[in-house]
């Protein structure tokens, strides 16, 4: 077999556009690259500037190049009897067919393969499948991305890498892959069928099959979790029996110095070790603010390990983001395993939906139960290979691409459809493995969502614990509100309905109907009749739910300053005292849904009970369990909808959100407690021995009172059960950061800038960007204003070769935007809400941070509005007690994006003059970690920036 890897550079993305360069790499039978052909092509039309920007190909390059016909005379003979390959091959294939047709050749009729498909299948955990990134990941030379010959050669090497990976897979996985594609009349099917035949012809090398567990026709990387031994040998006694914390830390720090050449003891981190240990030891709660660079994770992990091993009582660590959870798993825990002088275990335990259910996956691929076959077959293939690699079955390891959440939902673990010990997969189950490991562990790392799910499940999910560390604690109140409240999405109801019945062939009820007809059981006729009665009811619920969602959506006014596609672009608060006119009619639709779902759940439960007792068949067990879970979900949706539509709870705020792109299909219904402090107090601070809350932003103007009030810590504070600590910063902020306020800058009201404000801002940002050579991030509080600035700023900076990247401007995800900002030379990145925190751009890439407005929450947001009303009732000032502290914490988060390491140096420009003119501005300035602060006229800023950035300034 001979492969021809083809790549075109073109003047646009339609197959009628012109080719400007071709690259072709030939891979011979033995897997070596025998030839690389490359040529510019004269397109006969001007090359658009953005194509030159992307590829580097100029008018000059193609001026004397061959025309299309001449180039094709060289290319066509090379395509004789080859398998055509491309990275996203459809693009190149369409251009090829068009060129062949235009030049009078027959169309290409050989086989076609796509390296993106191969990469997904062979490397299911790669975080990107973009050619340049993959080449870098594999250490391949790819000097000229977006030049056809370089791209073709890189793609050829990637294909060979995929073939190597397929070689290593056990025969069983190859057979399962071939079986997956067998009904697909595709070239992928032909390829895997050939690979299977070839592998079956050669006897299996037992060596190569070592390290896999073969079970029920799947090859896995894991053994039974019941075989996992305890961390330490009990007979050897407690390794910390006569060891005090100072001795333990001394040994750990010696080991850290030997392991990390750059490790040095830091005052702030030392304080954190001791304060966290003291809180655990004295059974107190602790609020500890630890800025960037403190080494916060080790600051709480080491005392937690000491406490849990010494006292034999588990410590739970909870993070807000999965990102931080992964960082602890990938970076911090492996380091601690090297330096802690005895074996310990830190286990990561996430929400159940993050783990693959092997029973559901087996069922799905055996029945080829695919909603969209072409995409789903690739995902199933990806997961078959992943099973030979994963120890955890955690979806974070898988790159399924943005739109494939539906596939994962249908194979992820959930409590309602779990067979427990009766499941043939029980000892291999990833969720039960994670749970078992959490049971064995000294420290369990989870997230805030799981913490509250555990509370709602009467503490049945996490192992019992008395000590809790909450990282990213400034997010705790918001997560608590969402989890202790209610959030119903349009699609969560639709998914349940569709998984029960999509059409006569798809869904669990049609599958059950088919199984009953084949079973020959004496009661199968009666049971089929019940299924046939359930289906019209499901269709009726779906129709009513669509109607209700549409009419609820119609009530919501648009909020003009949100990102397009952002939830919350449309928001409406609801209350018993101010009901919309049509509410009674809407309640009648909900009542109809309530009645029908009640009947559906009742009939479904009876049917499930009978099937469990009388139908003895494993494949039916699996189906019946999934059906049982779906009926339970329906019953839950029924109660949630009733709770929302009745609007009866005084202490709850009810609201709806949606966005303009998906309209009623994006509808979300919220019912959230206005004040969660009493719940947090009852659930955690009254019950647990010690709760340690940490974050880079917990204090406002050097005081923790805002957090104490909002998290329910007032009583603990009065009883001296709470310590508060603000750690000194490890950075020299006066030398590293300069904060500038242009005091004569025009002010702005609302979320839209007037022409004077916008033109002043654009000009000032452009001047600052030139002075800092790009490397600048601009934070907005309103998407509308970002949009006002994006185009004119882009235009001004184009001639200076500085790129402008805007959140939401070209449909690129947040993480891709950040990566692009870091990789693409001089750039300015414009971001709104989600860019204020969690963005880590250390070093040279970020030198200047511009904050356009102080980040006050819109006072019209239902939750902010309800909290303000509650404070007014308590005779407190909502602006000073809520709006200012919230904005200060957000402002500190934004400021924290600038200095990420001890060597970073940069400038923060605050364009909002309220920071120096208003009575509350001082709270913002005094809350910062001590940068140099100056205010000046706008026209003095650039020279001051240039002066500050001089190395010897």
């Amino acid at each position: 077999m001979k492969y021809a890897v083809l790549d075109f550079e073109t003047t646009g993305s339609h197959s009628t556009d012109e080719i400007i360069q071709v690259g072709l790499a030939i891979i011979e039978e033995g897997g070596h690259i025998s030839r690389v052909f490359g040529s510019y092509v004269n397109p006969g039309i001007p090359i658009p500037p953005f194509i030159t920007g992307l590829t580097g190909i100029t008018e000059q390059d193609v001026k004397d190049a061959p025309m299309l016909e001449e180039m094709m005379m060289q290319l066509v003979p090379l395509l004789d009897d080859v398998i055509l390959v491309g990275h996203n091959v459809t693009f190149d294939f369409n251009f090829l067919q068009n060129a062949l047709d235009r030049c009078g050749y027959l169309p290409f009729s050989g086989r076609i393969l796509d390296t993106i498909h191969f990469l997904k299948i062979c490397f299911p955990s790669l975080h990107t499948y973009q050619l340049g990134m993959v080449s870098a990941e594999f250490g391949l030379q790819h000097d000229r991305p977006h030049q056809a010959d370089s791209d073709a050669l890189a793609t050829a090497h990637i294909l060979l890498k995929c073939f190597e990976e397929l070689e290593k897979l056990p025969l069983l996985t190859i057979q399962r892959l071939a079986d997956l594609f067998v009904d697909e009349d595709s070239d992928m099917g032909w390829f895997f069928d050939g690979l299977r035949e070839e592998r079956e012809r050669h006897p299996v090398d037992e060596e190569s099959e070592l390290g896999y567990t073969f079970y029920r026709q799947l090859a896995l990387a894991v053994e039974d979790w019941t075989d996992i031994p305890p961390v330490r040998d009990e007979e050897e006694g407690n390794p910390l029996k006569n060891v005090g914390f100072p001795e333990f830390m001394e040994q750990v720090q010696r080991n850290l110095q030997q392991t990390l050449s750059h490790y040095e003891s830091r005052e702030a981190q030392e304080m954190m070790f001791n304060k966290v240990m003291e809180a655990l030891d004295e059974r107190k709660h602790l609020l500890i603010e630890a800025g960037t660079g403190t080494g916060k994770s080790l600051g709480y992990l080491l005392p937690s390990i000491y406490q849990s091993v010494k006292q034999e009582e588990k410590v739970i660590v909870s993070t807000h983001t999965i990102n931080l959870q992964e960082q602890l798993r990938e970076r911090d825990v492996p380091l601690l395993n090297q330096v802690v002088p005895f074996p310990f275990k830190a286990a990561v335990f996430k929400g159940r939906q993050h783990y693959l259910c092997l029973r559901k996956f087996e069922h799905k691929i055996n029945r080829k139960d695919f909603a969209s076959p072409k995409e789903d077959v690739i995902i199933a293939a990806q997961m078959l290979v992943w099973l030979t690699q994963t120890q955890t079955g955690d979806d974070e390891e898988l790159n399924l691409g943005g739109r494939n959440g539906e596939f994962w939902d249908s194979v992820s673990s959930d409590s309602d459809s779990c067979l427990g010990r009766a499941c043939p997969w029980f000892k291999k189950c990833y969720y039960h493995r994670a749970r078992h490991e959490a049971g064995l562990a000294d420290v369990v790392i989870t997230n805030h969502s799981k913490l509250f799910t555990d509370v709602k499940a009467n503490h049945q999910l996490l192992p019992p614990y008395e000590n809790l560390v909450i990282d990213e604690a400034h997010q705790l109140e918001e997560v608590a509100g969402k989890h202790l409240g209610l959030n119903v999405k349009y699609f969560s109801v639709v998914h349940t309905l569709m998984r029960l019945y999509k059409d006569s062939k798809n869904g669990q009820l049609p599958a059950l109907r088919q199984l009953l007809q084949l079973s020959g059981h004496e009661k199968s006729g009666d049971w089929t009749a019940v299924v046939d009665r359930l289906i019209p009811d499901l269709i009726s619920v779906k129709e009513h739910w669509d109607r209700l969602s549409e009419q609820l959506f119609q009530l919501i006014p648009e909020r003009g300053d949100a990102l397009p596609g952002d939830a919350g672009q449309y928001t409406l608060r609801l209350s018993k005292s101010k009901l919309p006119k049509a509410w009674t009619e809407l309640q009648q639709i909900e009542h109809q849904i309530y009645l029908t779902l009640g009947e559906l759940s009742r009939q479904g439960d009876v049917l499930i009970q009978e099937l469990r007792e009388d139908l003895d068949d494993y494949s039916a067990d699996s189906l019946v369990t999934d059906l049982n879970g779906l009926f339970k979900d329906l019953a839950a949706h029924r109660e949630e909808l009733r709770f929302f539509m009745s609007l009866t709870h005084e202490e709850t705020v009810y609201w709806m959100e949606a966005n303009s792109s998906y309209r009623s299909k994006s509808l979300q219904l919220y019912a959230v407690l206005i004040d969660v402090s009493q719940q947090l107090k009852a659930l955690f601070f009254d019950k647990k021995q010690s709760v340690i809350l940490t974050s880079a932003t917990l204090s406002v103007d050097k005081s923790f009172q805002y957090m104490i009030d909002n998290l329910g810590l007032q009583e603990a504070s009065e009883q001296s059960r709470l310590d508060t600590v603000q750690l000194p910063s490890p950075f020299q902020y006066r030398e590293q950061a300069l904060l500038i306020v242009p005091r004569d800058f025009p002010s702005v009201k609302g979320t839209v800038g007037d022409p004077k404000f916008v033109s002043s801002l654009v000009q000032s940002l452009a001047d600052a960007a030139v002075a800092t050579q790009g490397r600048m991030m601009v934070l907005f509080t309103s998407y509308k204003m970002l949009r006002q600035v994006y185009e004119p700023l882009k235009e001004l900076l184009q001639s200076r070769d500085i790129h402008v990247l805007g959140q939401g401007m070209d449909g690129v995800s947040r993480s891709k935007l950040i990566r692009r900002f870091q990789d693409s030379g001089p750039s300015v990145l414009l971001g709104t809400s989600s860019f204020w925190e969690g963005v880590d751009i250390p070093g040279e890439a970020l030198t200047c941070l511009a904050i356009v407005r102080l980040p006050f929450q819109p006072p019209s947001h239902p939750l902010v509005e309800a909290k303000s009303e509650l404070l007014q009732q308590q005779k407190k000032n909502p602006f000073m007690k809520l709006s200012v502290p919230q904005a200060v914490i957000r402002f500190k988060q934004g400021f924290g994006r600038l200095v990420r390491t001890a060597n970073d140096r940069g400038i923060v420009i605050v364009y909002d003059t309220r920071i120096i003119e208003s009575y509350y501005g001082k709270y913002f300035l005094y809350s910062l970690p001590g940068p140099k602060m100056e205010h000046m006229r706008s026209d003095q800023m650039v020279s001051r920036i240039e002066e500050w950035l001089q190395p010897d300034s």
Side-chain angles (χ1 to χ4, degrees):
M1 286 193 287
K2 194 158 95 174
Y3 298 91
V5 184
L6 180 66
D7 188 82
F8 288 125
E9 299 304 332
T10 59
T11 57
S13 53
H14 296 290
S15 57
T16 49
D17 286 313
E18 297 297 331
I19 294 168
I20 53 175
Q21 192 188 26
V22 61
L24 188 80
I26 302 288
I27 303 175
E28 299 292 343
E29 178 84 35
H32 69 278
I33 297 168
S34 61
R35 176 165 185 194
V36 179
F37 165 74
S39 171
Y40 286 121
V41 180
N42 187 332
I45 59 165
I47 298 174
F50 83 93
I51 293 289
T52 297
L54 179 72
T55 61
I57 299 172
T58 63
E59 297 285 350
Q60 200 56 36
D61 293 325
V62 298
K63 189 166 61 109
D64 301 323
M67 301 301 280
L68 182 70
E69 286 78 4
E70 290 174 67
M71 183 278 289
M72 291 298 282
M73 283 168 69
Q74 291 176 279
L75 182 69
V76 170
L78 299 175
L79 297 176
D80 190 30
D81 202 23
V82 295
I83 296 144
L84 191 70
V85 179
H87 197 72
N88 195 2
V89 72
T90 316
F91 174 89
D92 302 290
F93 178 68
N94 288 338
F95 272 98
L96 175 66
Q97 294 296 51
N98 192 38
L100 288 167
D101 184 46
R102 276 168 61 184
C103 299
Y105 295 99
L106 288 170
F108 180 85
S109 57
R111 297 196 179 276
I112 307 161
L113 297 172
D114 197 327
T115 42
I116 287 187
H117 292 158
F118 276 106
L119 276 171
K120 283 183 174 173
I121 294 167
C122 301
F123 297 95
S125 300
L126 269 183
H127 64 84
T128 172
Y129 296 116
Q130 196 259 334
L131 187 63
M133 303 273 194
V134 174
S135 303
E137 186 86 18
F138 289 167
L140 301 173
Q141 226 177 338
H142 183 205
D143 308 328
R144 293 173 291 114
H146 298 297
Q147 292 252 329
D149 51 346
S150 184
D151 280 359
L153 185 57
T155 306
H157 282 299
I158 282 168
L159 184 69
L160 291 172
K161 201 93 175 135
C162 292
F163 289 171
E164 275 172 39
E165 212 54 27
L166 290 171
E167 272 303 303
K168 297 177 198 165
L169 288 174
L171 173 62
L172 178 59
T173 303
I174 299 292
Q175 289 167 327
R176 293 304 311 249
L177 287 167
D179 178 56
L180 259 186
F181 286 100
V182 82
D183 302 331
E184 288 276 293
D185 182 22
S186 70
D187 294 338
M188 227 27 182
W190 161 83
F191 175 85
F192 277 109
D193 197 45
L195 185 60
R196 184 196 58 202
E197 272 182 32
E198 188 188 326
R199 286 287 289 276
E200 284 174 349
R201 272 203 304 273
H202 300 107
V204 174
D205 171 11
E206 283 179 25
E207 285 277 296
S208 69
E209 305 278 298
L210 284 176
Y212 298 110
T213 302
F214 298 99
Y215 184 69
R216 296 180 68 89
Q217 296 301 299
L218 288 177
L220 310 171
V222 289
E223 302 282 340
D224 291 4
W225 56 258
T226 46
D227 297 337
I228 299 172
V231 191
R232 292 174 295 279
D233 188 341
E234 281 180 25
E235 287 168 23
E236 288 178 13
N238 191 320
L240 288 170
K241 192 171 180 191
N242 298 311
V243 182
F245 185 63
E247 293 161 73
F248 164 73
M249 284 307 301
E250 209 174 295
Q251 196 168 353
V252 168
Q253 284 176 310
R254 267 204 310 274
N255 295 346
L256 275 167
Q257 273 155 357
Q258 286 166 7
T259 311
L260 300 175
S261 54
H262 57 274
Y263 178 78
E264 54 191 47
S265 168
R266 283 172 274 185
E267 181 200 357
Q269 195 180 45
E270 288 291 329
M271 280 176 73
M272 188 161 181
F273 290 144
N274 295 323
K275 287 292 179 188
V276 172
M277 193 61 240
E278 196 179 296
L280 290 167
D281 200 28
E282 295 176 9
R283 305 191 164 194
K284 283 182 164 182
H285 304 317
L286 173 67
L287 275 170
I288 184 162
E289 184 173 82
T292 315
T294 308
K296 180 164 70 182
S297 318
L298 294 196
Y300 58 70
L301 283 172
L302 280 163
S304 298
I305 292 164
Y306 178 84
Q307 175 74 4
S308 67
V309 174
K310 174 99 172 177
Q311 306 299 339
E312 296 178 2
E313 48 184 43
K314 234 174 260 308
V315 178
I316 300 274
V317 171
S318 178
T319 70
H320 172 55
T321 55
I322 295 279
N323 267 1
L324 179 55
Q325 213 175 1
E326 289 299 306
Q327 181 191 308
L328 295 177
R329 184 215 303 261
E330 301 292 322
R331 193 186 75 188
D332 299 315
V333 170
L335 171 65
L336 292 177
N337 276 319
Q338 286 178 274
V339 299
V340 170
F342 50 79
F344 76 92
K345 184 167 184 62
V348 171
F349 192 23
K350 298 185 180 175
R352 189 163 190 155
Q353 74 286 359
H354 286 288
Y355 299 97
L356 176 72
C357 169
L358 285 160
R359 176 187 65 74
K360 287 186 186 176
F361 181 66
E362 175 194 34
H363 194 61
K364 192 174 185 82
I365 59 171
N366 286 353
R367 290 187 49 232
K368 298 198 175 162
D369 174 15
F370 299 139
S372 32
K374 274 203 167 14
E375 292 88 19
D376 287 5
V377 165
I378 299 287
I379 299 170
Q382 206 177 350
M383 288 170 80
L384 277 171
V385 173
W386 178 58
L387 289 181
T388 67
Q389 302 164 354
T390 182
Q391 298 288 327
T392 63
D394 174 350
D395 66 341
E396 286 297 311
E397 296 176 0
L398 259 183
N399 181 352
L400 292 178
R403 291 194 303 277
N404 298 312
E406 231 175 290
F407 188 103
W408 180 262
D409 287 346
S410 67
V411 293
S412 65
S413 178
D414 71 283
S415 53
D416 290 336
S417 66
C418 180
L419 287 171
R421 290 178 183 281
C423 179
W425 288 99
F426 181 65
K427 289 182 179 179
K428 307 276 187 294
C429 172
Y430 295 114
Y431 171 72
H432 283 99
R433 166 182 297 273
R435 191 173 173 165
H436 178 70
E437 289 190 330
L440 292 175
D442 302 299
V443 174
V444 178
I445 299 164
T446 187
N447 52 52
H448 301 354
S449 291
K450 177 95 178 170
L451 208 55
F452 287 103
T453 314
D454 176 57
V455 163
K456 283 168 90 172
N458 295 321
H459 303 285
Q460 298 295 302
L461 306 178
L462 291 170
Y465 63 95
E466 286 301 326
N467 299 309
L468 171 63
V469 177
I470 296 177
D471 198 344
E472 300 177 301
H474 63 284
Q475 296 282 4
L476 186 70
E477 184 194 0
E478 191 183 332
V479 178
K482 283 190 174 157
H483 277 268
L484 299 173
L486 177 82
N487 175 12
V488 180
K489 298 182 174 75
Y490 166 80
F491 269 120
S492 52
V493 178
V494 169
H495 276 318
T496 311
L497 295 168
M498 290 300 207
R499 282 182 60 197
L500 278 163
Y501 177 81
K502 188 173 181 185
D503 53 43
S504 58
K505 289 198 180 67
N506 294 297
Q508 303 290 39
L509 285 175
L512 176 65
R513 200 176 189 290
Q514 195 183 356
L515 189 137
L516 291 173
Q517 284 170 339
L518 296 172
S519 72
H521 194 282
E522 57 189 35
K523 287 190 178 174
S524 66
D526 297 345
W527 291 331
T528 305
V530 176
V531 171
D532 289 343
R533 281 202 301 278
L534 291 173
I535 288 171
D537 280 352
L538 284 167
I539 293 168
S540 150
V541 169
K542 166 83 167 62
E543 285 167 356
H544 279 95
W545 175 232
D546 279 343
R547 209 169 108 220
L548 180 62
S549 300
E550 184 53 49
Q551 291 188 20
L552 285 170
F553 176 78
Q554 298 297 340
L555 299 174
I556 315 179
E558 182 171 6
R559 198 186 98 219
D561 63 331
L563 270 158
D566 242 16
Q569 191 174 344
Y570 292 82
T571 311
L572 176 70
R573 182 177 170 192
L574 296 162
S575 70
K576 200 93 177 156
S577 56
K578 284 192 296 209
L579 286 176
K581 283 197 188 80
W583 198 253
T584 320
E585 192 187 319
L586 297 176
Q587 280 182 311
Q588 284 165 354
I589 304 176
E590 182 273 328
H591 187 62
Q592 194 51 57
I593 294 174
Y594 189 80
L595 292 177
T596 314
L597 282 181
E599 191 51 31
L600 265 167
S601 300
R602 194 189 60 73
Q603 290 189 30
D605 288 347
V606 172
L607 176 65
I608 299 263
Q609 216 43 50
E610 287 189 22
L611 291 170
R612 279 197 164 142
E613 284 165 17
D614 295 353
L615 191 63
D616 192 20
D617 172 351
Y618 164 67
S619 61
D621 279 354
S622 182
L623 194 53
V624 168
T625 303
D626 288 347
L627 278 166
N628 182 44
L630 290 167
F631 281 120
K632 280 189 176 163
D633 288 347
L634 280 186
H637 294 323
R638 171 181 187 249
E639 294 310 321
E640 288 170 345
L641 261 179
R642 171 57 48 105
F643 181 87
F644 181 84
M645 295 295 290
S646 59
L647 307 171
T648 42
H649 291 257
E650 292 284 311
E651 68 284 4
T652 298
V653 55
Y654 298 86
W655 80 92
M656 304 189 286
E657 285 184 7
N659 69 52
S660 56
S661 314
Y662 298 100
R663 303 187 65 77
S664 66
K665 292 189 169 32
S666 66
L667 185 73
Q668 297 200 50
L669 312 177
Y670 286 95
V672 172
L673 284 163
I674 300 170
D675 178 8
V676 290
S677 61
Q678 288 312 301
Q679 270 78 358
L680 290 173
K681 176 179 176 295
L683 292 167
F684 298 112
F685 306 121
D686 289 351
K687 275 201 181 142
K688 303 297 173 194
Q689 284 176 18
S690 178
V691 181
I692 286 136
L693 300 114
T694 185
S695 158
T697 52
L698 290 175
S699 68
V700 176
D701 189 19
K702 313 284 185 277
S703 157
F704 287 92
Q705 199 54 48
Y706 173 71
M707 282 295 167
I708 290 171
D709 291 344
N710 282 36
L711 298 178
L713 279 159
Q714 190 57 47
E715 192 180 295
S717 175
E718 287 159 9
Q719 295 169 353
S720 303
R721 273 201 69 212
L722 173 70
D723 285 342
T724 59
V725 181
Q726 194 174 12
L727 295 175
S729 169
F731 299 146
Q732 303 299 313
Y733 273 100
R734 272 195 82 71
E735 277 75 59
Q736 287 183 257
L738 168 69
L739 182 131
I740 296 177
V741 184
R743 59 172 177 255
D744 57 349
F745 211 76
S747 56
V748 62
K749 290 224 171 358
T751 56
V752 185
D754 56 60
K756 182 185 175 200
F757 177 82
V758 172
S759 66
S760 306
L761 181 62
V762 169
Q763 191 58 56
S764 181
L765 287 172
D767 294 343
V770 171
T772 59
Q773 294 156 7
R775 307 200 305 250
M776 177 172 177
M777 181 152 81
V778 188
L779 293 176
F780 292 83
T781 53
S782 121
Y783 180 67
K784 260 197 172 158
M785 206 179 284
L786 183 152
R787 234 178 16 208
Q788 285 178 296
V789 167
Y790 177 76
E791 285 298 342
L793 184 63
K794 201 172 174 179
E795 222 163 281
L796 267 183
L797 290 175
Q798 207 160 12
S799 59
R800 299 298 199 122
D801 283 338
I802 296 174
H803 296 284
V804 175
L805 306 166
Q807 183 188 1
M809 297 313 295
D810 49 6
V812 175
S813 72
R814 175 183 156 196
S815 53
K816 275 192 181 155
L817 258 185
I818 293 165
R819 212 173 294 139
R820 206 176 273 182
F821 175 64
Q822 285 171 292
D823 294 344
S824 61
S827 329
V828 176
L829 175 59
L830 313 182
T832 62
S833 48
S834 64
F835 280 77
W836 282 78
E837 61 180 279
V839 175
D840 193 1
I841 306 170
E844 286 287 291
L846 184 63
T847 304
C848 181
L849 178 77
I851 291 175
V852 176
R853 312 254 357 248
L854 295 176
F856 284 102
Q857 281 236 26
S860 60
H861 187 280
L863 191 53
V864 178
E865 204 174 71
K867 280 176 184 283
S868 299
E869 287 164 13
L870 184 66
L871 286 165
Q872 273 166 337
Q873 285 163 23
Q874 297 164 354
K875 304 281 186 286
K876 292 175 183 169
N877 177 342
F879 184 68
M880 292 310 293
K881 284 282 180 198
L882 177 71
S883 304
V884 169
Q886 273 187 344
V888 167
I889 283 171
R890 199 135 182 77
F891 180 72
K892 284 169 71 174
Q893 281 286 343
F895 179 87
R897 299 312 99 213
L898 184 72
V899 177
R900 307 300 294 173
T901 73
N903 304 320
D904 288 357
R905 184 175 164 81
I907 289 138
V908 176
I909 306 170
V910 180
Y911 284 103
D912 193 331
T913 52
R914 290 178 296 179
I915 202 164
I916 51 173
E917 290 166 356
S918 69
Y919 67 93
Y920 54 82
K922 62 180 184 214
Y923 294 109
F924 289 87
L925 295 173
Y926 293 164
S927 295
L928 293 177
K932 192 167 176 53
M933 300 184 196
E934 298 176 5
H935 55 85
M936 59 194 67
R937 293 199 319 271
S938 305
D939 59 10
Q940 296 170 315
M941 259 173 36
V942 170
S943 58
R944 182 65 182 110
I945 289 172
E946 288 171 341
E947 185 190 339
W948 174 262
L949 290 178
Q950 292 303 319
D952 50 359
S953 65

